Amino acid sequence: MVTYKNVEFLLEGGIARITLNRPPLNVINIEMMREIAGCLNSLEGRHDVKVIVFAAAGKAFSAGVDISEHMGDTAVTMLTEFHDIFRKLIALGIPTVALVRG
């Protein structure tokens, strides 16, 4: 299994668990989005996966996107990577749940 810097990925018992792990607030940057996309890519063609669970380490699920990457030269890349995640989720057709505290 691939090891990621900003997310943890566990596939067990028909559950794919993607945990945001970029403390303290799990701010989503382009690198994290690419890692999430990598997790989702690994689920293509897997009929044993019944649900995808998004969770987060730390005190916050996510404080949103990294504003510094949402401007200037990286804005288009960030939006493309962000939309790619949702296109992948739709294409997979696997129910998806977010575990958010509070």
Side-chain angles (χ1 to χ4, degrees), residues 35-81:
E35 291 179 7
I36 293 168
C39 296
L40 297 174
N41 286 338
S42 73
L43 300 177
E44 289 179 9
R46 301 272 319 237
H47 300 291
D48 59 323
V49 178
K50 304 302 180 202
V51 66
I52 300 169
V53 176
F54 280 91
K59 65 180 182 177
F61 183 81
S62 176
V65 298
D66 186 336
I67 298 300
S68 69
E69 292 185 355
H70 200 62
M71 300 185 310
D73 295 343
T74 56
V76 171
T77 301
M78 174 168 267
L79 289 171
T80 301
E81 297 294 334

Side-chain angles (χ1 to χ4, degrees), residues 7 12 41 78 90 95-97:
V7 300
E12 187 174 74
N41 286 338
M78 174 168 267
I90 291 166
T96 304
V97 177

